Amino acid sequence: MVIASCAGYSVTVHRRPKLRVSPESVQRMKQRLRDLLRIGRGRSLRTVIATVAVYLRGWLGYYRKAEERKVFEDLDQWLRRKLRRIVWKQWKPPRTRYRKLRAHGIAPDQARRSAWNGRGPWYNAGASHMHLAVPTKLLRGWGLPSSLDEHQRLQYL
């Protein structure tokens, strides 16, 4: 339950109230990230990640005083899934998907079922084959900052 909201922050109801990012601010930020990801169609994923990282670091710097971590954990998961969705859409025909999944170390049978499963990009972005093919470590290597780690780093400056 939220008592008050001011400048993007809200306060939780506990014995010791905690400062957190307001849900409205999270929704505005997600919409801004959607717009940035939409602009990135046809670009390399590293370019898109670089653009997103600049915005994300600024947003995290503004909300560094927030004490609740859940928002940042959820944001990390959501953003990684959006990026895996872009990768899945870039691997357009099923033959390419099969070839790319195999190149990333997925077993032939699982790669075949995944490439021709007929489900949409959002489903496949959250499926185990994409987590194995495009792990978090790879996304971080391409420059995607972890919002949780970045928030913790900024909190103690």
Side-chain angles (χ1 to χ4, degrees):
M1 181 176 222
V2 177
I3 293 177
S5 179
C6 178
Y9 285 97
S10 59
V11 182
T12 61
V13 178
H14 289 96
R15 284 187 182 162
R16 186 184 149 275
K18 291 183 179 183
L19 201 59
R20 71 176 190 172
V21 180
S22 72
E24 295 84 13
S25 296
V26 174
Q27 289 305 313
R28 279 194 306 269
M29 185 267 309
K30 282 185 174 182
Q31 185 56 50
R32 175 72 175 135
L33 285 176
R34 282 185 195 103
D35 294 341
L36 288 174
L37 293 171
R38 200 169 292 125
I39 289 170
R41 290 183 183 162
R43 294 186 188 169
S44 74
L45 194 61
R46 290 181 190 199
T47 306
V48 173
I49 288 174
T51 306
V52 166
V54 170
Y55 176 75
L56 189 60
R57 284 193 178 102
W59 189 83
L60 292 168
Y62 183 82
Y63 289 106
R64 70 178 176 268
K65 301 279 186 200
E67 298 169 300
E68 248 185 36
R69 297 169 35 139
K70 181 79 169 123
V71 171
F72 303 106
E73 291 170 0
D74 292 346
L75 175 61
D76 272 344
Q77 292 173 359
W78 179 81
L79 187 54
R80 284 193 306 263
R81 189 167 181 178
K82 290 290 274 185
L83 292 170
R84 286 184 183 113
R85 180 179 178 269
I86 290 172
V87 170
W88 185 258
K89 288 176 86 172
Q90 286 177 348
W91 298 346
K92 205 154 194 159
R95 262 182 290 148
T96 303
R97 289 177 180 160
Y98 174 76
R99 192 170 27 87
K100 295 285 190 173
L101 289 169
R102 288 291 297 135
H104 284 92
I106 307 296
D109 189 44
Q110 184 183 7
R112 190 175 309 104
R113 279 180 300 174
S114 301
W116 279 279
N117 68 10
R119 297 187 185 239
W122 188 250
Y123 172 85
N124 283 296
S128 63
H129 57 270
M130 283 305 284
H131 285 273
L132 293 171
V134 186
T136 303
K137 187 176 181 179
L138 181 65
L139 291 172
R140 286 205 183 151
W142 288 344
L144 181 69
S146 165
S147 58
L148 183 60
D149 293 345
E150 191 74 14
H151 175 257
Q152 288 175 341
R153 184 184 70 77
L154 291 171
Q155 222 174 13
Y156 297 108
L157 287 180

